[in-house]
Structure formats: C-alpha cells, structure tokens
Amino acid sequence: MSTQARPGSATPAEETSPELTVLADAKQVSNAAAEEFVCLARRSIESKGEFDVALAGGSTPRAAYEILAKDAAKLPWEKIHIFFGDERCVPPDHSDSNYGMARDALLAHVAIPANNVHRMKGEVDAPAAAEQYEGDLRRHFRLSNGNPPRFDLVMLGMGDDGHTASLFPNSIGLTESSRLVVANWVEKFKQHRLTLTFPVLNNAAEIMFLVAGTAKAKVIGEIFVKKPLFDRYPVQQVKPANGRALWLLDRAAAQALPARR
Ligand code: 6PG
C-alpha cells in the first residue's frame, strides 16, 4: 500500500494495490479529486480522443464537481462522456437524484453535449432502468456479450456501513457476476437503487474514492489497518484487476491509520 501517492501521479497500469492519500479536510479531498479528474481526462483524451467517467453521488464528490465547473475551461467537455456509478430511484429533478446533483453542480455549467451525458433513469421501473443502462453501456463501449466496459475513471464514495456505489452490505447485487447494472434492493431503505456492478468497477483503469468525515474512520481502520482475510464490507470487493485504486481521505476518515511521517 502506498501512502505517498499524489493526485495525477503516473502509475503503471498493472498497479493493483490501493494508494492512500490523506488530506487535511473534505475541501482538500474535493480539490485533489478535481485535480486528478483533470489530469486523467487530459491523459485519456490525448491517448484515445475521449474520456469516459462514472460519477459518484455524495457530498464530497459534489464539492469536486463544483470545482470542476469553475475550472471548466481546463477541459474539452465535448470529448468527455459522463456516466453514473449509481442512482436513487427518483426522477431527475428530485433532490435525491445523483444525476440532478451532478447537473446542478457541474453539467449545467460546462459545454458538454446532451448526448455525452448518460444518466440512469431513476424515474422508471428499476429492473427496466438497469437493463436500459446496460444497453447504453454496451452501445457506447461497443461491447460484445460478456465483456464489461473499461472506464477511464470511476469515482466512488463509501458509506459508513462500507457500501460503495449502491452496493450495500448483504444486498443481492454484491454477488452479481455477469450483469453490468442491477436494480439492487436495499433493505435499510426498503427500496431499489440502480448500480454498476463489481465486474464493471473492477475493470476500470482508475478508481478514485472520496472519503471524508469521522463516521468513515471505523471502516477505513478495519480495511487498511486490521486487513481482514475476508471481505467484510462491500467496498473491499473493489479490486481493479488491471487498474489503480486511489483513496483520497481526509484526516478525520483516516484517523485510525498509523501516523504518517
Ligand atoms: C450515493 C452514493 C454512495 C455515496 C456514499 C458516500 O448515491 O449515495 O453514490 O455510494 O458515495 O454513500 O456518500 P458521502 O460522500 O456523502 O458520505
């Protein structure tokens, strides 16, 4: 495990161990995430002419999107395709909508063509919406059956119960091995959430976790200090096979980690 990683630092594609970067506070996490987003987007656009990114919901990502919106001129947005890691089953204008949040914080402020924004349809029947989104992914990434897409970047958060995207503890979506998107029943909310599955997350070139706040410290400590032999939390199932997992943590979330030099 590296604790020295810097946003934007070049990392070999075969790197699979997580990199941890601890920053002073949530604001610094958002700043670093926006900086990393810009670096990765430029790199992908230079190499393949396009940047395919899946956004996360949550408060820290929102602040990162606002920074990106202010710095809109840094990127050619027409070459960026925005997807979502998960969505709540609500219409796009609902205050819980991840798409609605990203639209308000970022997408409405940058010159991105409407066709480049691929949202999960939280307002339609959840299994049908999951199937539609899987179709969107298959078309955009020109996938042959059985292959997951390779995102240039997947942004993720982590809940204090160890969930990531909408892959919650004990939910059926945790074991999905073939579908790219599922309508995952979340018992604690008594509702479905739409979510990308682990085969998709683990095929990404870059995963960037944004984790801030004391409430996350226990799970972070259990994952990175106790290092259990089995995956107790959904977030531990994120293990990109041929990619990098970068964790941007604030000091509060990282308080159980050993003191840094
Ligand atoms: C969502 C998410 C979810 C989120 C975590 C962390 O839509 O709720 O995508 O996985 O990232 O719950 O959220 P915070 O960063 O707000 O704590």
Side-chain angles (χ1 to χ4, degrees):
M1 179 203 315
S2 159
T3 53
Q4 301 292 319
R6 282 168 36 81
S9 60
T11 307
E14 65 274 14
E15 167 76 71
T16 51
S17 10
E19 293 178 18
L20 272 67
T21 296
V22 180
L23 297 142
D25 53 25
K27 191 161 178 276
Q28 293 303 314
V29 170
S30 304
N31 278 330
E35 192 187 323
E36 182 75 11
F37 185 111
V38 170
C39 287
L40 294 173
R42 285 181 175 158
R43 196 173 75 187
S44 293
I45 291 166
E46 204 178 294
S47 65
K48 63 168 212 187
E50 181 176 306
F51 180 53
D52 296 308
V53 56
L55 302 185
S59 47
T60 318
R62 183 188 180 108
Y65 305 154
E66 287 167 351
I67 296 166
L68 286 169
K70 280 198 199 105
D71 288 346
K74 287 186 175 174
L75 289 172
W77 288 91
E78 73 284 359
K79 294 184 176 152
I80 296 179
H81 280 263
I82 302 282
F83 291 82
F84 290 83
D86 72 326
E87 185 56 280
R88 290 91 182 270
C89 290
V90 293
D93 284 323
H94 192 284
S95 57
D96 287 345
S97 165
N98 282 344
Y99 162 76
M101 181 276 272
R103 180 198 55 205
D104 296 349
L106 171 63
L107 304 172
H109 311 286
V110 298
I112 188 164
N115 286 343
N116 289 19
V117 179
H118 309 261
R119 74 173 180 90
M120 291 176 168
K121 297 214 171 97
E123 70 277 26
V124 308
D125 171 63
E131 218 169 289
Q132 269 183 32
Y133 208 62
E134 177 142 348
D136 286 354
L137 290 173
R138 292 201 176 284
R139 272 187 301 281
H140 179 77
F141 287 92
R142 295 188 179 84
L143 301 175
S144 53
N145 278 348
N147 288 338
R150 184 157 174 82
F151 276 103
D152 300 307
L153 171 65
V154 175
M155 296 176 75
L156 291 173
M158 185 195 81
D160 49 15
D161 59 358
H163 81 260
T164 192
S166 278
L167 295 158
F168 283 77
N170 305 316
S171 63
I172 192 83
L174 300 185
T175 55
E176 181 59 47
S177 61
S178 56
R179 280 179 296 171
L180 308 179
V181 188
V182 291
N184 199 22
W185 180 257
V186 184
E187 189 55 34
K188 74 175 178 186
F189 302 135
K190 302 263 183 258
Q191 54 185 229
H192 281 106
R193 291 267 191 107
L194 298 166
T195 186
L196 299 183
T197 57
F198 287 119
V200 178
L201 305 184
N202 287 330
N203 201 44
E206 305 271 344
I207 298 272
M208 178 164 61
F209 284 102
L210 282 69
V211 182
T214 308
K216 315 286 170 77
K218 180 171 172 282
V219 174
I220 291 295
E222 287 192 34
I223 296 172
F224 292 111
V225 182
K226 290 193 187 159
K227 296 184 187 159
L229 291 172
F230 61 96
D231 292 341
R232 174 160 179 205
Y233 300 106
V235 72
Q236 291 173 280
Q237 287 180 243
V238 180
K239 297 167 188 167
N242 184 21
R244 180 174 71 141
L246 171 65
W247 288 75
L248 300 175
L249 307 167
D250 75 348
R251 255 186 230 133
Q255 61 192 263
L257 299 184
R260 295 156 56 78
R261 277 178 291 153

